């Protein structure tokens, strides 16, 4: 029904482990629709569109595209460039010059705002263009979709990281570990670290959510309680966590268009713990590795990302522009999801916070409802095996020691 | 030839991804030697010995031990406790009370010092005890062995991390990434990130070694040169890197028995780059995840760790106490290694720095000799596929832009 022409796909914002799977889906589905005469990829997102930096994806070998589909990061390159009114007009002129009739924009809620603007500009300029959004964000903060492609992979990365750092923390004990998780404004990824837990004593012992301020005294009290009980403590905290004064615990910050980002938050929290509770504390910040690793991609995430790409092409050639592809969870006991569509207006620039109902009363853990929501996406995180407790009877009189056996002296820090 | 009795194995210092593989090797080999009446594991290292916290490993099911052998971290628990003269006497008394005749101590150069002390104490107290060291350290800083079990896994983790963060850095461009790598005094792990590179433009673009001071101006000059050429830059730096004044670039430090540790070094370097070069910069610190992840264990490392455990038992029952198991590389073109033995005196408390001859002249990269040394241990790190360059001819007059296309404005930082 739609006017034949070229389709352009562009990536926006931070890459994920599966955005290339969506690209693969687009590539595969585009080949099945004669309305799409050629498929172009814009290099480096909207910035590439504005420079006419297009790559002909139609000419890429199938085998290569299958391999690229399994690679993390963005094969096209992405961009954080924000568009101006002048940019929008230019985009439409460029599309007109190349006979581009389909524009697929793969990004988060900010990008859906851009997609909406492009669609509006085309309408104003009386240019026939189908604009379809494809969800992508590790933050899982898009409305109208059950979850976003990219989130399950990053969630699995951080949950696996917490499990492994937790095993290390258990083996050496006597230490507090603060693990910084991606997520500036929303706690979806921090929440997912709960899946690392098989028994209540497993890490993470505390999870915090940037949706709520975290008073310093509450934080220290929480850590102290866990440490007193277990002789160790692993904390998952978002990079954007703020204290009771709306400050990042004295961490350095970087300001940006979407708010400020604390750059060494976990380190500051570890310093707080060390100085105020007088215990060994350190911090880890896997950072961007959490969105760029290919080691923790759940099959569900990869398949869904690819399906979202395919669905976007189908929506575009059916004249369903102005919408974003969504993931719709079937109300079954077994996990199944299909794709749907939501108007760009309903998702653009809007943020879905981690639900207050899925935080526990103390504000330092998730509820079982969240675990039920996330487990089918992230997959089970197998616990490392432990030895059977065949202890040996002591033969010596017990030697008195001023040390607690679980703790190592704070002054000896050889690795 | 040796006196029959119980064998005790203990772990020391930070865990690795394969120390449990050595435990498996000990368990397997111990069962084959009737001189070993029972195999005990000390919980939490030498601290557990001093508390008589022994677990009977002989009673662990084979299947479970195989699974534990494939888990990272230390199933026995480890310790950073340093031993006193009184401790040493107590250790021998405890061993005498339990009829322990074989002591297997799995750790780094500090731990080999402890093993040497235990052997000396036994001799002085006229107690027949075979003490055998098993090498274990991600730092690869033990003398007399080609490399140490645990190093290849951590090396592969950090090389893979640099590859993936590099792909992210390429996709979004216009940013400097400082990746902090484990290693306080030695650059072996930072060096290994060079294996992430398939073509010269790949990350890491700069590698620094704590064996040499890094003048601040040199660092900034290096980064500026790379950034000017590529519009991006990924730096691998050790947690223990110091500047020309022997200071950690203003980072917070923690003092310990083996020197000081800068706790937020990469962050400080990123702040330096941002303020002095006026480009976007951030830092990542996977930290302990680099030694506790099970996702990047090369088969070579796992097999060798297991073999080292087996060889330790064989040495012990042959009366070859007072030695540490070593890995000996065969002078073949194909990589092969066997186990050997070195006197504990030759490794105890001694550190093997990263060889100056394997650093390039500029002090910011490795030589090909190192790559040849490390590749068989770490394995090849496959490059992520990239699109074929089928560019599309422009149809518009080129729009002038004050921006370099590869760079995003520093003020917009949405993920």
């Amino acid at each position: 029904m739609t006017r034949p022409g070229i389709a352009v796909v562009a990536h926006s914002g931070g890459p994920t482990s599966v955005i290339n799977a969506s690209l693969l889906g687009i590539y595969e589905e585009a080949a099945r629709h004669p309305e799409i005469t050629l498929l172009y990829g814009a290099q480096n997102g909207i910035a590439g569109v504005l420079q006419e930096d297009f790559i002909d994806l139609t000419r890429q070998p199938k085998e290569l595209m299958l391999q690229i589909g399994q690679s993390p990061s963005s094969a096209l390159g992405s961009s954080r460039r924000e568009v101006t009114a002048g940019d929008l007009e230019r985009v439409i002129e460029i599309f007109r010059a190349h006979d581009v009739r389909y524009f697929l924009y793969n990004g988060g809620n900010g990008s859906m705002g851009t997609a909406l603007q492009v669609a509006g500009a085309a309408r104003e300029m009386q240019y026939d263009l189908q604009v379809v959004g494809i969800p992508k964000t590790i933050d899982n903060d898009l409305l109208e979709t059950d979850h976003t492609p990219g989130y399950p992979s990053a969630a699995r990365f951080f949950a696996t990281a917490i499990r492994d750092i937790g095993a290390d923390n258990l083996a050496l004990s006597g230490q507090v570990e603060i693990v910084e998780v991606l997520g500036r404004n929303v706690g979806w990824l921090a929440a997912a670290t709960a899946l690392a837990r098989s028994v209540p004593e497993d890490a993470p012992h505390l999870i915090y959510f940037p949706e709520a301020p975290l008073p310093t005294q509450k934080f220290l009290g929480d850590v102290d309680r866990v440490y007193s009980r277990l002789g160790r403590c692993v904390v998952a905290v978002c990079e954007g966590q703020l204290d009771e004064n709306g400050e990042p615990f004295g961490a350095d910050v970087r300001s940006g268009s979407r708010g400020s980002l604390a750059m060494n938050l976990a380190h500051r929290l570890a310093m707080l713990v060390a100085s105020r509770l007088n215990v060994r504390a350190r911090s880890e910040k896997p950072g961007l590795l959490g969105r760029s690793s290919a080691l923790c991609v759940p099959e569900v995430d990869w398949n869904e990302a690819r399906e979202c790409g395919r669905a976007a092409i189908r929506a575009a050639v059916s004249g369903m522009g102005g919408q974003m592809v969504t993931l719709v969870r079937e109300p079954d006991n077994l996990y199944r999801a299909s794709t749907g569509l939501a108007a760009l207006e309903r998702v653009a620039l809007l943020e879905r916070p981690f639900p207050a109902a899925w935080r526990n009363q103390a504000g330092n853990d998730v509820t079982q409802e969240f675990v039920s929501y996330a487990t089918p996406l992230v997959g089970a995180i197998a616990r490392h095996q432990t030895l059977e407790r065949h202890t040996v009877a002591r033969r010596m009189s017990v030697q008195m020691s001023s040390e607690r056996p679980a703790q190592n002296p704070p002054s000896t820090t050889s690795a």
Side-chain angles (χ1 to χ4, degrees), chain A residues 63-409:
Chain A
E63 274 311 306
L64 177 64
M65 287 305 290
L66 276 169
Q67 290 177 312
I68 284 176
Q70 278 159 2
S71 303
S73 188
S74 159
L76 286 172
S78 189
S79 172
R80 290 197 196 86
R81 196 186 202 288
E82 305 204 333
V83 295
T84 63
D87 287 341
L88 288 170
E89 199 170 317
R90 173 96 182 163
V91 165
I92 304 303
E93 283 167 6
I94 289 170
F95 283 172
R96 200 193 297 270
H98 287 271
D99 196 28
V100 172
R101 295 296 175 175
Y102 307 99
F103 181 47
L104 307 148
Y105 204 44
N106 204 342
N109 45 27
S111 314
M112 295 308 140
T114 305
L116 190 61
Q117 286 178 296
V118 171
R123 207 164 39 241
E124 269 179 40
M125 295 168 71
Q126 302 190 312
Y127 181 70
D128 228 347
L129 181 73
Q130 301 293 327
V131 179
V132 177
I134 305 168
K136 171 243 57 166
T137 168
I138 58 162
D139 289 333
N140 204 35
D141 61 350
L142 279 167
L143 289 173
E144 299 287 330
T145 185
D146 178 78
H147 59 280
T148 57
Y151 171 65
S153 295
R156 189 169 180 86
F157 176 91
F158 281 108
T160 306
I162 287 275
R163 177 196 61 181
D164 293 343
I165 290 172
D168 193 289
N169 183 254
L170 173 63
L172 264 173
S173 222
Q175 184 157 293
V176 174
E177 280 291 345
I178 316 284
V179 181
E180 189 172 315
V181 175
L182 291 174
R184 184 178 309 180
N185 305 321
V186 295
W188 289 99
L189 280 175
T193 63
L195 302 189
R197 230 166 12 212
S198 297
V199 300
E201 298 76 38
D202 282 347
H205 306 107
L206 297 166
I207 300 172
Y208 296 108
F209 308 88
E211 286 85 353
L214 172 58
T216 304
Q217 283 311 318
K218 176 189 160 42
F219 166 69
L220 291 170
D222 283 357
V223 171
D224 192 40
R225 239 184 329 276
V226 172
Y227 189 84
S228 298
R229 188 161 53 87
L230 301 177
R232 61 195 162 90
C233 183
V234 177
V235 181
V237 64
C238 284
E239 57 184 341
Q241 184 67 53
L242 301 177
D243 62 21
E244 69 271 35
N245 304 315
E247 300 289 337
F249 301 89
D252 296 320
V253 293
R254 187 177 61 195
S255 333
S257 59
R258 310 282 308 283
S260 293
L261 178 63
M263 294 174 69
N264 58 343
L265 188 97
H267 171 71
R268 288 295 310 160
L269 291 174
M271 295 287 280
L272 253 179
V273 167
S275 65
R276 302 279 284 279
L277 301 182
N278 196 29
V279 293
R280 282 174 63 97
R282 53 171 291 161
S283 66
E284 326 298 329
K285 182 189 177 184
L288 296 193
L289 188 54
R291 76 181 187 197
S292 62
S293 174
L295 300 176
C296 293
V297 178
E299 212 178 307
V300 164
D301 196 21
W302 194 83
N303 287 334
E304 289 179 346
R306 184 184 192 176
E307 281 308 317
C308 284
R310 287 177 167 160
I313 289 286
R314 288 195 299 268
V317 297
S318 313
M320 308 285 279
Q323 309 211 63
M324 182 190 81
V325 174
T326 60
L327 287 165
V328 183
R329 190 186 295 233
E330 309 287 339
D332 300 357
N333 281 329
L334 280 175
Y335 175 80
R336 282 190 308 157
S338 54
T339 57
L341 291 169
L344 286 170
E345 287 88 347
R346 297 180 65 89
V347 290
L349 303 173
L350 298 170
E351 196 167 70
R352 179 170 71 150
F354 187 76
W358 285 356
R359 303 199 297 261
N360 73 347
Q361 287 243 314
N364 58 19
D365 208 335
V366 300
T367 64
Q368 186 53 43
E369 286 71 30
F370 168 72
V371 173
S372 302
Y373 161 85
T375 300
L377 312 179
V378 177
I381 311 282
R383 189 167 199 244
H384 296 313
Q385 290 288 350
T386 52
L387 292 166
E388 292 183 2
R389 306 292 304 159
H390 301 297
T391 51
V392 174
R394 291 200 173 88
R395 298 195 169 184
M396 307 276 287
S397 57
V398 173
Q399 193 185 37
M400 293 309 290
S401 167
S402 56
E403 267 187 287
R404 280 194 277 176
Q407 291 171 39
N408 299 289

